[in-house]
Amino acid sequence: MAAPRDQWRTRVLHAGSPSFDNGAVPVNVPVVRASTVRFASHADREALHERREAGEPVSTYGRHGMATHRALEAAIGELEGASHVLLAPSGLAAISLVFVALLSPGDHVLVQDSVYGPVRERVEPLLTRLGVSFDYFSAGAGWPEALVRPETRLVYAESPSSFLYEVIDLPALAAFARGHGIALAVDNTWGAGLLYQPLALGADISVQATTKYLGGHSDLMQGAVATSNPSLARRLRDTHDALGLAVGADDAYLALRGIRTLAVRLAQHGRHALEVARFLQSERSVVTRVFHPALPDDPGHALWRRDFNGANGLVSFALRHASTEQAAAFVDALRLFGMGASWGGFESLALVAPPSRLREQRYWRGNEPVVRLHVGLEDPADLIADLEQAFQRVLS
Ligand SMILES: *Cc1c(COP(=O)(O)O)cnc(C)c1O
């Protein structure tokens, strides 16, 4: 396990801050937009190219990003405890980057069965076409010894998982992967770096959709890949370059700005979500189960307490004796919760979880409809009143 990281929460707030120029400086790094980078001389150009080739994150062209991007990479590096960070134009692009960088024709990958849906829907068909084969494992069913092949190169997991927040024993999974000489990548979107540090728990790569909590205001699409392994960083960087995954400077600025208030927003999301989750647990006539790892009776609670620094705003629940149509009528009856997918903003959202997604995972075998809430920064009493009126109108 990695050494304890000193003052990292404080360093996250200051990472990437510009240094003094003529004795004064704005607090925030400027938005530096560029395509062409102009060099003072041919020799300077050569020298910068050489430094870039050697792996330094210097820019010789706008596609590599400029000062704003470097500042964001530094801040995400502090969050994830990573020495190398690559930015991507969406969370899904960051995930695809990991798969394309690490896998070649003939290789095999083991994917947790409850990961973000588009990994199966989009990434698997792409990689299958390129000659990679996939197997899915359930994190709760013991480690997938029987599925490991000599050509298995990557284990890909997500903790807590999408929709039901299955918490996995990451140090144990990391020991399993290491024992077989397989790289381990983890989707860290739920934890946003602040709540969870996969690299310190033994993963080789941490990926997140910075679209979600780092952006925090529902106006950004972006992803990031973080690692402290120099050879993986090299492969990721070369593939990132080949795919031309450029991120706009304004978007880099938005994510950096979001990071500065991440701790206070997440603390509030976590408090509000727990209040809403407890209310849902009290509604026994309409709710059979509430999914949220901060609830003491959640099956992942002990692992969550051991490995996480808090919880976010996501809460899902299964409806008793309800059809999918009734679940849809319930979310339609909500007035404060908007209906939408990409959580992590300041606002509350609700969705009926797609039954096809839930059937893909072995964590929960119920067949009641599941509603996913993203609990925002609104007054939780108002959110609970909204849920109450929708329960009364639709399900009583
Ligand atoms: C949203 C999400 C993604 C994808 O992020 P985009 O920026 O929407 O492409 C990946 N993983 C998880 C867990 C997510 O919730």
PDB file of all heavy atoms in Angstrom, residues 35-63:
ATOM      1  N   SER A  35      -3.623  26.833 -30.641  1.00  0.00           N
ATOM      2  CA  SER A  35      -3.296  25.725 -31.539  1.00  0.00           C
ATOM      3  C   SER A  35      -1.781  25.798 -31.744  1.00  0.00           C
ATOM      4  O   SER A  35      -1.036  24.990 -31.199  1.00  0.00           O
ATOM      5  CB  SER A  35      -4.074  25.808 -32.857  1.00  0.00           C
ATOM      6  OG  SER A  35      -3.858  27.059 -33.475  1.00  0.00           O
ATOM      7  N   THR A  36      -1.328  26.846 -32.441  1.00  0.00           N
ATOM      8  CA  THR A  36       0.108  27.002 -32.668  1.00  0.00           C
ATOM      9  C   THR A  36       0.828  27.467 -31.409  1.00  0.00           C
ATOM     10  O   THR A  36       0.344  28.351 -30.695  1.00  0.00           O
ATOM     11  CB  THR A  36       0.356  28.026 -33.784  1.00  0.00           C
ATOM     12  OG1 THR A  36      -0.235  27.522 -34.983  1.00  0.00           O
ATOM     13  CG2 THR A  36       1.839  28.278 -34.011  1.00  0.00           C
ATOM     14  N   VAL A  37       1.958  26.863 -31.154  1.00  0.00           N
ATOM     15  CA  VAL A  37       2.868  27.318 -30.099  1.00  0.00           C
ATOM     16  C   VAL A  37       4.062  27.939 -30.827  1.00  0.00           C
ATOM     17  O   VAL A  37       4.624  27.332 -31.736  1.00  0.00           O
ATOM     18  CB  VAL A  37       3.311  26.117 -29.226  1.00  0.00           C
ATOM     19  CG1 VAL A  37       4.426  26.519 -28.280  1.00  0.00           C
ATOM     20  CG2 VAL A  37       2.120  25.558 -28.462  1.00  0.00           C
ATOM     21  N   ARG A  38       4.432  29.147 -30.457  1.00  0.00           N
ATOM     22  CA  ARG A  38       5.525  29.837 -31.148  1.00  0.00           C
ATOM     23  C   ARG A  38       6.808  29.682 -30.326  1.00  0.00           C
ATOM     24  O   ARG A  38       6.777  29.830 -29.109  1.00  0.00           O
ATOM     25  CB  ARG A  38       5.164  31.320 -31.281  1.00  0.00           C
ATOM     26  CG  ARG A  38       5.791  32.031 -32.464  1.00  0.00           C
ATOM     27  CD  ARG A  38       4.895  33.182 -32.940  1.00  0.00           C
ATOM     28  NE  ARG A  38       4.585  34.140 -31.879  1.00  0.00           N
ATOM     29  CZ  ARG A  38       5.359  35.162 -31.532  1.00  0.00           C
ATOM     30  NH1 ARG A  38       6.503  35.393 -32.153  1.00  0.00           N
ATOM     31  NH2 ARG A  38       4.993  35.988 -30.576  1.00  0.00           N
ATOM     32  N   PHE A  39       7.917  29.366 -31.009  1.00  0.00           N
ATOM     33  CA  PHE A  39       9.188  29.120 -30.321  1.00  0.00           C
ATOM     34  C   PHE A  39      10.138  30.291 -30.554  1.00  0.00           C
ATOM     35  O   PHE A  39      10.125  30.898 -31.630  1.00  0.00           O
ATOM     36  CB  PHE A  39       9.832  27.832 -30.829  1.00  0.00           C
ATOM     37  CG  PHE A  39       8.937  26.624 -30.653  1.00  0.00           C
ATOM     38  CD1 PHE A  39       8.075  26.239 -31.671  1.00  0.00           C
ATOM     39  CD2 PHE A  39       8.929  25.919 -29.457  1.00  0.00           C
ATOM     40  CE1 PHE A  39       7.228  25.144 -31.502  1.00  0.00           C
ATOM     41  CE2 PHE A  39       8.083  24.832 -29.289  1.00  0.00           C
ATOM     42  CZ  PHE A  39       7.237  24.446 -30.314  1.00  0.00           C
ATOM     43  N   ALA A  40      10.980  30.557 -29.558  1.00  0.00           N
ATOM     44  CA  ALA A  40      11.924  31.672 -29.665  1.00  0.00           C
ATOM     45  C   ALA A  40      12.987  31.391 -30.724  1.00  0.00           C
ATOM     46  O   ALA A  40      13.457  32.297 -31.411  1.00  0.00           O
ATOM     47  CB  ALA A  40      12.575  31.933 -28.312  1.00  0.00           C
ATOM     48  N   SER A  41      13.348  30.113 -30.868  1.00  0.00           N
ATOM     49  CA  SER A  41      14.389  29.778 -31.834  1.00  0.00           C
ATOM     50  C   SER A  41      14.244  28.314 -32.229  1.00  0.00           C
ATOM     51  O   SER A  41      13.554  27.544 -31.545  1.00  0.00           O
ATOM     52  CB  SER A  41      15.773  29.977 -31.209  1.00  0.00           C
ATOM     53  OG  SER A  41      15.950  29.007 -30.188  1.00  0.00           O
ATOM     54  N   HIS A  42      14.918  27.939 -33.278  1.00  0.00           N
ATOM     55  CA  HIS A  42      14.919  26.539 -33.689  1.00  0.00           C
ATOM     56  C   HIS A  42      15.450  25.645 -32.566  1.00  0.00           C
ATOM     57  O   HIS A  42      14.891  24.576 -32.290  1.00  0.00           O
ATOM     58  CB  HIS A  42      15.783  26.374 -34.949  1.00  0.00           C
ATOM     59  CG  HIS A  42      15.869  24.955 -35.409  1.00  0.00           C
ATOM     60  ND1 HIS A  42      14.850  24.347 -36.115  1.00  0.00           N
ATOM     61  CD2 HIS A  42      16.826  24.014 -35.205  1.00  0.00           C
ATOM     62  CE1 HIS A  42      15.195  23.087 -36.352  1.00  0.00           C
ATOM     63  NE2 HIS A  42      16.389  22.862 -35.814  1.00  0.00           N
ATOM     64  N   ALA A  43      16.501  26.153 -31.892  1.00  0.00           N
ATOM     65  CA  ALA A  43      17.099  25.356 -30.801  1.00  0.00           C
ATOM     66  C   ALA A  43      16.095  25.155 -29.656  1.00  0.00           C
ATOM     67  O   ALA A  43      16.002  24.060 -29.087  1.00  0.00           O
ATOM     68  CB  ALA A  43      18.359  26.048 -30.293  1.00  0.00           C
ATOM     69  N   ASP A  44      15.338  26.198 -29.326  1.00  0.00           N
ATOM     70  CA  ASP A  44      14.319  26.059 -28.267  1.00  0.00           C
ATOM     71  C   ASP A  44      13.266  25.035 -28.671  1.00  0.00           C
ATOM     72  O   ASP A  44      12.797  24.234 -27.865  1.00  0.00           O
ATOM     73  CB  ASP A  44      13.630  27.405 -28.004  1.00  0.00           C
ATOM     74  CG  ASP A  44      14.523  28.338 -27.196  1.00  0.00           C
ATOM     75  OD1 ASP A  44      15.215  27.845 -26.290  1.00  0.00           O
ATOM     76  OD2 ASP A  44      14.533  29.553 -27.496  1.00  0.00           O
ATOM     77  N   ARG A  45      12.893  25.095 -29.933  1.00  0.00           N
ATOM     78  CA  ARG A  45      11.873  24.163 -30.429  1.00  0.00           C
ATOM     79  C   ARG A  45      12.378  22.719 -30.304  1.00  0.00           C
ATOM     80  O   ARG A  45      11.677  21.841 -29.806  1.00  0.00           O
ATOM     81  CB  ARG A  45      11.543  24.515 -31.880  1.00  0.00           C
ATOM     82  CG  ARG A  45      10.558  23.567 -32.486  1.00  0.00           C
ATOM     83  CD  ARG A  45       9.951  24.078 -33.778  1.00  0.00           C
ATOM     84  NE  ARG A  45       9.094  23.021 -34.280  1.00  0.00           N
ATOM     85  CZ  ARG A  45       9.314  22.336 -35.395  1.00  0.00           C
ATOM     86  NH1 ARG A  45      10.330  22.653 -36.172  1.00  0.00           N
ATOM     87  NH2 ARG A  45       8.505  21.374 -35.752  1.00  0.00           N
ATOM     88  N   GLU A  46      13.614  22.518 -30.743  1.00  0.00           N
ATOM     89  CA  GLU A  46      14.203  21.171 -30.646  1.00  0.00           C
ATOM     90  C   GLU A  46      14.255  20.698 -29.195  1.00  0.00           C
ATOM     91  O   GLU A  46      13.904  19.555 -28.894  1.00  0.00           O
ATOM     92  CB  GLU A  46      15.639  21.173 -31.197  1.00  0.00           C
ATOM     93  CG  GLU A  46      15.732  21.472 -32.673  1.00  0.00           C
ATOM     94  CD  GLU A  46      15.478  20.237 -33.524  1.00  0.00           C
ATOM     95  OE1 GLU A  46      16.408  19.425 -33.662  1.00  0.00           O
ATOM     96  OE2 GLU A  46      14.337  20.083 -34.015  1.00  0.00           O
ATOM     97  N   ALA A  47      14.680  21.614 -28.326  1.00  0.00           N
ATOM     98  CA  ALA A  47      14.838  21.243 -26.912  1.00  0.00           C
ATOM     99  C   ALA A  47      13.487  20.854 -26.310  1.00  0.00           C
ATOM    100  O   ALA A  47      13.382  19.865 -25.567  1.00  0.00           O
ATOM    101  CB  ALA A  47      15.457  22.400 -26.137  1.00  0.00           C
ATOM    102  N   LEU A  48      12.440  21.617 -26.643  1.00  0.00           N
ATOM    103  CA  LEU A  48      11.118  21.302 -26.088  1.00  0.00           C
ATOM    104  C   LEU A  48      10.591  19.985 -26.641  1.00  0.00           C
ATOM    105  O   LEU A  48       9.983  19.193 -25.916  1.00  0.00           O
ATOM    106  CB  LEU A  48      10.134  22.447 -26.367  1.00  0.00           C
ATOM    107  CG  LEU A  48      10.255  23.578 -25.340  1.00  0.00           C
ATOM    108  CD1 LEU A  48       9.664  24.876 -25.873  1.00  0.00           C
ATOM    109  CD2 LEU A  48       9.577  23.192 -24.024  1.00  0.00           C
ATOM    110  N   HIS A  49      10.827  19.742 -27.923  1.00  0.00           N
ATOM    111  CA  HIS A  49      10.421  18.465 -28.519  1.00  0.00           C
ATOM    112  C   HIS A  49      11.114  17.303 -27.821  1.00  0.00           C
ATOM    113  O   HIS A  49      10.488  16.279 -27.534  1.00  0.00           O
ATOM    114  CB  HIS A  49      10.730  18.440 -30.024  1.00  0.00           C
ATOM    115  CG  HIS A  49       9.622  18.996 -30.859  1.00  0.00           C
ATOM    116  ND1 HIS A  49       8.412  18.345 -31.015  1.00  0.00           N
ATOM    117  CD2 HIS A  49       9.512  20.132 -31.569  1.00  0.00           C
ATOM    118  CE1 HIS A  49       7.610  19.058 -31.782  1.00  0.00           C
ATOM    119  NE2 HIS A  49       8.255  20.160 -32.140  1.00  0.00           N
ATOM    120  N   GLU A  50      12.380  17.494 -27.538  1.00  0.00           N
ATOM    121  CA  GLU A  50      13.127  16.423 -26.861  1.00  0.00           C
ATOM    122  C   GLU A  50      12.579  16.162 -25.461  1.00  0.00           C
ATOM    123  O   GLU A  50      12.411  15.006 -25.066  1.00  0.00           O
ATOM    124  CB  GLU A  50      14.614  16.809 -26.753  1.00  0.00           C
ATOM    125  CG  GLU A  50      15.455  16.123 -27.811  1.00  0.00           C
ATOM    126  CD  GLU A  50      16.851  16.700 -27.875  1.00  0.00           C
ATOM    127  OE1 GLU A  50      17.471  16.901 -26.805  1.00  0.00           O
ATOM    128  OE2 GLU A  50      17.319  16.967 -29.010  1.00  0.00           O
ATOM    129  N   ARG A  51      12.274  17.238 -24.742  1.00  0.00           N
ATOM    130  CA  ARG A  51      11.723  17.060 -23.392  1.00  0.00           C
ATOM    131  C   ARG A  51      10.378  16.348 -23.465  1.00  0.00           C
ATOM    132  O   ARG A  51      10.066  15.490 -22.642  1.00  0.00           O
ATOM    133  CB  ARG A  51      11.577  18.419 -22.698  1.00  0.00           C
ATOM    134  CG  ARG A  51      12.907  18.969 -22.208  1.00  0.00           C
ATOM    135  CD  ARG A  51      12.778  20.396 -21.711  1.00  0.00           C
ATOM    136  NE  ARG A  51      11.802  20.511 -20.625  1.00  0.00           N
ATOM    137  CZ  ARG A  51      11.307  21.669 -20.188  1.00  0.00           C
ATOM    138  NH1 ARG A  51      11.689  22.811 -20.740  1.00  0.00           N
ATOM    139  NH2 ARG A  51      10.439  21.690 -19.214  1.00  0.00           N
ATOM    140  N   ARG A  52       9.584  16.699 -24.451  1.00  0.00           N
ATOM    141  CA  ARG A  52       8.285  16.045 -24.599  1.00  0.00           C
ATOM    142  C   ARG A  52       8.458  14.555 -24.915  1.00  0.00           C
ATOM    143  O   ARG A  52       7.796  13.698 -24.338  1.00  0.00           O
ATOM    144  CB  ARG A  52       7.477  16.743 -25.701  1.00  0.00           C
ATOM    145  CG  ARG A  52       6.093  16.212 -25.755  1.00  0.00           C
ATOM    146  CD  ARG A  52       5.085  16.956 -26.540  1.00  0.00           C
ATOM    147  NE  ARG A  52       3.946  16.062 -26.640  1.00  0.00           N
ATOM    148  CZ  ARG A  52       3.068  15.865 -25.669  1.00  0.00           C
ATOM    149  NH1 ARG A  52       3.131  16.555 -24.557  1.00  0.00           N
ATOM    150  NH2 ARG A  52       2.099  14.979 -25.808  1.00  0.00           N
ATOM    151  N   GLU A  53       9.390  14.274 -25.816  1.00  0.00           N
ATOM    152  CA  GLU A  53       9.657  12.867 -26.171  1.00  0.00           C
ATOM    153  C   GLU A  53      10.116  12.071 -24.954  1.00  0.00           C
ATOM    154  O   GLU A  53       9.800  10.893 -24.817  1.00  0.00           O
ATOM    155  CB  GLU A  53      10.718  12.788 -27.280  1.00  0.00           C
ATOM    156  CG  GLU A  53      10.152  12.970 -28.676  1.00  0.00           C
ATOM    157  CD  GLU A  53       8.944  12.057 -28.942  1.00  0.00           C
ATOM    158  OE1 GLU A  53       9.101  10.831 -28.824  1.00  0.00           O
ATOM    159  OE2 GLU A  53       7.849  12.566 -29.247  1.00  0.00           O
ATOM    160  N   ALA A  54      10.837  12.736 -24.057  1.00  0.00           N
ATOM    161  CA  ALA A  54      11.321  12.060 -22.850  1.00  0.00           C
ATOM    162  C   ALA A  54      10.213  11.878 -21.809  1.00  0.00           C
ATOM    163  O   ALA A  54      10.461  11.311 -20.742  1.00  0.00           O
ATOM    164  CB  ALA A  54      12.486  12.848 -22.258  1.00  0.00           C
ATOM    165  N   GLY A  55       9.009  12.389 -22.118  1.00  0.00           N
ATOM    166  CA  GLY A  55       7.885  12.133 -21.214  1.00  0.00           C
ATOM    167  C   GLY A  55       7.476  13.317 -20.361  1.00  0.00           C
ATOM    168  O   GLY A  55       6.536  13.218 -19.583  1.00  0.00           O
ATOM    169  N   GLU A  56       8.150  14.449 -20.481  1.00  0.00           N
ATOM    170  CA  GLU A  56       7.751  15.625 -19.700  1.00  0.00           C
ATOM    171  C   GLU A  56       6.457  16.202 -20.281  1.00  0.00           C
ATOM    172  O   GLU A  56       6.305  16.243 -21.510  1.00  0.00           O
ATOM    173  CB  GLU A  56       8.841  16.702 -19.802  1.00  0.00           C
ATOM    174  CG  GLU A  56       9.846  16.654 -18.685  1.00  0.00           C
ATOM    175  CD  GLU A  56      10.739  17.895 -18.740  1.00  0.00           C
ATOM    176  OE1 GLU A  56      10.278  18.968 -18.345  1.00  0.00           O
ATOM    177  OE2 GLU A  56      11.878  17.760 -19.224  1.00  0.00           O
ATOM    178  N   PRO A  57       5.558  16.684 -19.443  1.00  0.00           N
ATOM    179  CA  PRO A  57       4.288  17.198 -19.969  1.00  0.00           C
ATOM    180  C   PRO A  57       4.409  18.634 -20.507  1.00  0.00           C
ATOM    181  O   PRO A  57       3.601  19.495 -20.197  1.00  0.00           O
ATOM    182  CB  PRO A  57       3.360  17.128 -18.746  1.00  0.00           C
ATOM    183  CG  PRO A  57       4.258  17.291 -17.571  1.00  0.00           C
ATOM    184  CD  PRO A  57       5.599  16.726 -17.965  1.00  0.00           C
ATOM    185  N   VAL A  58       5.436  18.889 -21.316  1.00  0.00           N
ATOM    186  CA  VAL A  58       5.577  20.215 -21.938  1.00  0.00           C
ATOM    187  C   VAL A  58       4.816  20.201 -23.263  1.00  0.00           C
ATOM    188  O   VAL A  58       4.583  19.146 -23.843  1.00  0.00           O
ATOM    189  CB  VAL A  58       7.050  20.595 -22.203  1.00  0.00           C
ATOM    190  CG1 VAL A  58       7.795  20.774 -20.895  1.00  0.00           C
ATOM    191  CG2 VAL A  58       7.735  19.553 -23.078  1.00  0.00           C
ATOM    192  N   SER A  59       4.430  21.366 -23.717  1.00  0.00           N
ATOM    193  CA  SER A  59       3.605  21.448 -24.910  1.00  0.00           C
ATOM    194  C   SER A  59       4.384  22.021 -26.075  1.00  0.00           C
ATOM    195  O   SER A  59       5.060  23.043 -25.952  1.00  0.00           O
ATOM    196  CB  SER A  59       2.385  22.323 -24.631  1.00  0.00           C
ATOM    197  OG  SER A  59       1.492  22.179 -25.701  1.00  0.00           O
ATOM    198  N   THR A  60       4.289  21.348 -27.222  1.00  0.00           N
ATOM    199  CA  THR A  60       4.874  21.900 -28.439  1.00  0.00           C
ATOM    200  C   THR A  60       3.780  22.187 -29.461  1.00  0.00           C
ATOM    201  O   THR A  60       4.045  22.635 -30.560  1.00  0.00           O
ATOM    202  CB  THR A  60       5.879  20.902 -29.051  1.00  0.00           C
ATOM    203  OG1 THR A  60       5.214  19.646 -29.230  1.00  0.00           O
ATOM    204  CG2 THR A  60       7.083  20.717 -28.146  1.00  0.00           C
ATOM    205  N   TYR A  61       2.538  21.895 -29.069  1.00  0.00           N
ATOM    206  CA  TYR A  61       1.399  22.084 -29.954  1.00  0.00           C
ATOM    207  C   TYR A  61       0.134  22.148 -29.104  1.00  0.00           C
ATOM    208  O   TYR A  61       0.057  21.493 -28.051  1.00  0.00           O
ATOM    209  CB  TYR A  61       1.332  20.914 -30.957  1.00  0.00           C
ATOM    210  CG  TYR A  61       0.316  21.106 -32.053  1.00  0.00           C
ATOM    211  CD1 TYR A  61       0.200  22.326 -32.718  1.00  0.00           C
ATOM    212  CD2 TYR A  61      -0.543  20.076 -32.427  1.00  0.00           C
ATOM    213  CE1 TYR A  61      -0.736  22.505 -33.718  1.00  0.00           C
ATOM    214  CE2 TYR A  61      -1.482  20.250 -33.436  1.00  0.00           C
ATOM    215  CZ  TYR A  61      -1.578  21.470 -34.072  1.00  0.00           C
ATOM    216  OH  TYR A  61      -2.512  21.648 -35.051  1.00  0.00           O
ATOM    217  N   GLY A  62      -0.863  22.910 -29.575  1.00  0.00           N
ATOM    218  CA  GLY A  62      -2.078  23.107 -28.782  1.00  0.00           C
ATOM    219  C   GLY A  62      -2.793  21.825 -28.386  1.00  0.00           C
ATOM    220  O   GLY A  62      -3.406  21.749 -27.321  1.00  0.00           O
ATOM    221  N   ARG A  63      -2.680  20.817 -29.226  1.00  0.00           N
ATOM    222  CA  ARG A  63      -3.372  19.555 -28.932  1.00  0.00           C
ATOM    223  C   ARG A  63      -2.907  18.937 -27.612  1.00  0.00           C
ATOM    224  O   ARG A  63      -3.655  18.217 -26.963  1.00  0.00           O
ATOM    225  CB  ARG A  63      -3.124  18.576 -30.084  1.00  0.00           C
ATOM    226  CG  ARG A  63      -4.152  17.468 -30.180  1.00  0.00           C
ATOM    227  CD  ARG A  63      -3.996  16.691 -31.467  1.00  0.00           C
ATOM    228  NE  ARG A  63      -2.658  16.178 -31.593  1.00  0.00           N
ATOM    229  CZ  ARG A  63      -1.980  16.093 -32.750  1.00  0.00           C
ATOM    230  NH1 ARG A  63      -2.531  16.471 -33.884  1.00  0.00           N
ATOM    231  NH2 ARG A  63      -0.762  15.616 -32.771  1.00  0.00           N
TER     232      ARG A  63
END
